Amino acid sequence: MASSSSSGLTFKLHPLVIVNISDHYTRVKSQSLSPHSASASASAADASSLPPPPPPRVFGCVIGVQRGRTVEIFNSFELLYDPSTHSLDRAFLEKKQELYKKVFPHFYILGWYSTGSDAQESDMIIHKALMDINESPVYVLLNPSINPAQKDLPITIYESELHVIDGIPQLIFVRSSYTIETVEAERISVDHVAHLKPSDGGSAATQLAAHLTGIHSAIKMLNSRIRVLHHYLLAMQKGDIPCENSLLRQVSSLLRRLPAIESEKFQDDFLMEYNDTLLITYLAMFTNCSSTMNELVDKFNAAYDRQGRRGGRTAFI
Amino acid sequence: MDIEQKQAEHIDYFVKQASNLKGTALSTVIVEATSHPSLFAFSEIIAASNVLELEGTENSASLDLLRMFAYGTWSEYKSAADRLPQLVPDQVLKLKQLTVLTLAETNKVLPYDLLMQELDVTNVRELEDFLINDCMYVGIVRGKLDQLRRCFEVQFAAGRDLRPGQLGSMIQTLANWLSTSENLLVSIQEKIKWADTMSEIDKKHKKEVDERVEEVKKTLSLKKPGRLVDQ
């Protein structure tokens, strides 16, 4: 159903949309799961291996701007889906569209989104229904299954194209490529969320490794820039490049800031903080050890107490 | 770096003026350039051919003065004052500002005593006023004044004109910086590997401990239940 070709439009997706879709899906999933999990625990003893119910599909609209051949998707909102008629709630959509138009006058409805692993036949019905708002809507699909081995975003953007299949012109979904575009505010929030990450295997070692990797890449960038400056100055010295005094002055003022953390005061403060941290860690470890020791002693007493009572001997400790 | 931008147009202006005039008119241009409140860079003017021609003529004192402004300090001026023309107060101020820049080249922390000696200023109040009004507000230095320790910590100082020999030392400093950062990169990578190996060892250890606990639990439950009821 989905071959990969594109009609020449470039798509730009903002992280806000991805976060919105994923939030919608998570909310609906957790709300529908809680009555189920209560009953599941009650029936756990039956060993009835019911497969978990298929995760609910959520639907909504994406809005954004289309300039020429570039389609930029900025925001999204949710819609109610009627599974019986396979259609979206039209009145709600129009009302929401009006409200969003007031706040963002430049944004148009560019398409719709849903969750799932692949595009399905019934999606085409919704797609066609949206075609009267936008003659070529886009379909954004989020794959909610978490695959830790997967490196890319589980998002696919489909367009509809008229292909002739078996002599009948049909609309089918074709996959398009997209890029991610961020506004400064989005970049900050994504950065923030990425650092809060330790969800799977967030042991101290992986956090440390992640932190160190961040520092490593920052220093690598600094390194490459210093190298450029170094080459430039060398070339200037050899005479390949005419001396540009203003640049030389800037470089000299930069180099003068250099031994940035050499002063004695820094060493004092640094060592003090270092010692404080070590001391606290030591104390914490100490407390941990003594409590474990205490438990061990209690267990020992509990295990060997009987003989003590009989022979009149006191407990071990 | 904004100093450079502010100076760029002044430099262009003076270079144009210098290339158009000769002789005594040139020395007036030089005096004007050295008293200009936002101009701190003189190597472009020195490089202008008409200025270099002044060498050896009766106006060579102006060239020396220009060179003094480009590379020297207030104390150097005082020791050579007989050879050089008199300075108007603007030029005195400028030379003192440039002196502060030179001092900031070598140390990051400048004690008040050193500054007072170099700048011919007698009390701390005047020194601080000079530093605040004439250096920091102009934007050529940025730093903190520490009154208790009587020193001035420089965080940023604009660059002065380079003497021909200084290029080599700058390249050396850059090379050192480069090698330090490369070493740092290597040691960070080692640390990352170390953290990973330690967590691997830890996980293995935990697994072993868990396995042994399981074993002991199994062997305990296999023992005769009568043993536990030891009355």
Side-chain angles (χ1 to χ4, degrees):
Chain A
M1 165 102 138
S3 55
S4 30
S5 67
S6 159
S7 61
L9 293 173
T10 32
F11 291 101
K12 291 189 182 165
L13 192 60
H14 278 249
L16 178 60
V17 178
I18 307 177
V19 171
N20 274 347
I21 304 178
S22 131
D23 178 54
H24 186 196
Y25 173 74
T26 319
R27 244 184 301 129
V28 170
K29 183 164 164 207
S30 54
Q31 281 167 358
S32 67
L33 211 49
S34 27
H36 166 77
S37 56
S39 60
S41 52
S43 61
D46 300 353
S48 56
S49 50
L50 266 174
R57 292 191 72 184
V58 299
F59 296 85
C61 244
V62 296
I63 61 180
V65 182
Q66 175 160 7
R67 293 192 197 91
R69 303 301 282 168
T70 315
V71 177
E72 202 165 343
I73 305 179
F74 276 95
N75 207 343
S76 65
F77 56 86
E78 304 153 9
L79 289 174
L80 284 175
Y81 176 67
D82 192 359
S84 51
T85 63
H86 288 288
S87 65
L88 297 171
D89 189 347
R90 198 64 193 219
F92 183 66
L93 190 152
E94 311 221 313
K95 185 147 161 282
K96 267 299 234 237
Q97 182 182 9
E98 226 182 275
L99 290 175
Y100 269 92
K101 248 315 190 200
K102 285 199 200 134
V103 182
F104 304 108
H106 298 290
F107 287 0
Y108 294 101
I109 291 193
L110 293 177
W112 61 294
Y113 70 77
S114 174
T115 54
S117 45
D118 209 352
Q120 295 170 4
E121 295 289 337
S122 51
D123 295 344
M124 191 42 91
I125 310 177
I126 309 178
H127 204 81
K128 286 196 182 123
L130 269 184
M131 275 169 91
D132 55 350
I133 305 186
N134 182 329
E135 59 278 358
S136 164
V138 301
Y139 173 33
V140 181
L141 181 68
L142 171 77
N143 187 353
S145 52
I146 303 177
N147 185 359
Q150 191 183 16
K151 287 285 189 179
D152 321 316
L153 288 172
I155 305 234
T156 22
I157 294 196
Y158 292 101
E159 279 189 286
S160 59
E161 275 186 9
L162 207 54
H163 278 225
V164 178
I165 302 178
D166 305 328
I168 311 171
Q170 275 183 356
L171 276 178
I172 59 164
F173 283 125
V174 295
R175 211 176 260 177
S176 311
S177 60
Y178 60 94
T179 51
I180 300 280
E181 176 112 351
T182 44
V183 183
E184 189 68 24
E186 286 172 329
R187 191 186 62 81
I188 294 177
S189 39
V190 167
D191 210 37
H192 195 80
V193 169
H195 282 314
L196 289 181
K197 184 225 160 213
S199 50
D200 55 341
S203 66
T206 43
Q207 279 182 336
L208 179 64
H211 180 69
L212 284 178
T213 324
I215 297 188
H216 179 90
S217 32
I219 297 188
K220 204 151 137 189
M221 273 205 297
L222 178 68
N223 202 354
S224 63
R225 300 216 168 108
I226 303 176
R227 197 170 305 199
V228 167
L229 270 181
H230 185 71
H231 277 172
Y232 186 73
L233 283 190
L234 273 174
M236 215 187 259
Q237 188 183 47
K238 271 196 293 202
D240 296 338
I241 305 176
C243 273
E244 196 184 319
N245 283 300
S246 148
L247 210 69
L248 284 177
R249 281 194 290 269
Q250 288 182 10
V251 172
S252 76
S253 96
L254 177 68
L255 289 180
R256 248 179 264 160
R257 299 180 72 165
L258 252 198
I261 49 173
E262 278 283 305
S263 68
E264 200 183 293
K265 253 187 1 157
F266 172 77
Q267 287 286 47
D268 287 342
D269 290 338
F270 176 63
L271 285 177
M272 234 181 11
E273 206 171 313
Y274 187 56
N275 286 336
D276 283 344
T277 325
L278 283 182
L279 194 64
I280 301 279
T281 326
Y282 186 50
L283 268 178
M285 209 46 61
F286 223 140
T287 318
N288 230 351
C289 271
S290 63
S291 93
T292 323
M293 186 75 97
N294 193 20
E295 283 179 23
L296 174 65
V297 165
D298 285 341
K299 286 179 189 159
F300 203 81
N301 284 346
Y304 293 96
D305 214 8
R306 292 168 259 275
Q307 302 160 344
R309 282 243 179 93
R310 248 198 338 202
R313 281 169 27 217
T314 55
F316 185 70
I317 288 184
Chain B
M1 311 304 152
D2 22 320
I3 316 271
E4 293 299 324
Q5 283 160 345
K6 275 192 269 179
Q7 291 190 103
E9 23 173 296
H10 299 298
I11 296 178
D12 287 334
Y13 169 68
F14 280 111
V15 167
K16 249 193 298 242
Q17 287 229 317
S19 36
N20 290 339
L21 307 169
K22 279 185 175 296
T24 335
L26 202 46
S27 36
T28 22
V29 170
I30 292 181
V31 167
E32 205 190 309
T34 45
S35 23
H36 195 283
S38 355
L39 184 60
F40 296 98
F42 303 102
S43 30
E44 282 95 348
I45 306 181
I46 295 185
S49 49
N50 291 0
V51 175
L52 286 172
E53 282 173 12
L54 283 181
E55 181 84 55
T57 66
E58 77 279 6
N59 285 323
S60 68
S62 302
L63 182 58
D64 288 336
L65 182 69
L66 195 56
R67 286 217 183 94
M68 176 66 57
F69 267 80
Y71 311 127
T73 65
W74 176 241
S75 22
E76 284 178 25
Y77 173 75
K78 277 188 299 181
S79 55
D82 43 350
R83 286 187 287 119
L84 298 171
Q86 271 293 9
L87 292 182
V88 295
D90 277 343
Q91 291 176 309
V92 171
L93 181 63
K94 178 168 293 303
L95 196 52
K96 290 189 177 174
Q97 287 170 322
L98 294 170
T99 311
V100 172
L101 282 184
T102 314
L103 286 176
E105 257 178 57
T106 37
N107 304 334
K108 288 192 77 178
V109 176
L110 302 171
Y112 277 1
D113 299 322
L114 177 64
L115 280 171
M116 289 201 286
Q117 182 193 350
E118 284 285 325
L119 296 174
D120 263 349
V121 168
T122 39
N123 63 345
V124 178
R125 178 58 206 255
E126 247 183 72
L127 176 68
E128 288 183 350
D129 278 342
F130 171 71
L131 280 176
I132 296 174
N133 288 330
D134 300 318
C135 299
M136 295 210 242
Y137 281 172
V138 176
I140 53 175
V141 280
R142 275 201 286 272
K144 295 193 188 170
L145 292 164
D146 189 343
Q147 260 201 347
L148 185 59
R149 289 205 190 85
R150 292 170 61 89
C151 57
F152 175 47
E153 288 177 31
V154 183
Q155 283 160 355
F156 159 77
R160 280 198 78 175
D161 297 310
L162 285 183
R163 264 176 256 258
Q166 279 179 306
L167 187 56
S169 58
M170 281 206 328
I171 294 182
Q172 188 58 37
T173 319
L174 269 182
N176 289 345
W177 198 9
L178 201 55
S179 61
T180 318
S181 66
E182 279 172 13
N183 290 342
L184 190 58
L185 278 180
V186 167
S187 56
I188 289 185
Q189 263 174 330
E190 285 179 14
K191 273 273 154 175
I192 297 180
K193 258 197 309 236
W194 173 83
D196 283 335
T197 11
M198 290 308 280
S199 89
E200 282 297 308
I201 294 179
D202 199 46
K203 266 194 267 215
K204 251 193 337 197
H205 180 75
K206 251 179 88 98
K207 228 171 49 137
E208 282 178 20
V209 167
D210 284 335
E211 278 174 14
R212 291 185 62 189
V213 165
E214 285 299 321
E215 270 182 50
V216 172
K217 273 197 205 162
K218 267 191 248 152
T219 41
L220 270 185
S221 57
L222 285 177
K223 279 205 191 128
K224 289 184 296 223
R227 237 196 108 135
L228 291 176
V229 188
D230 195 12
Q231 297 298 336

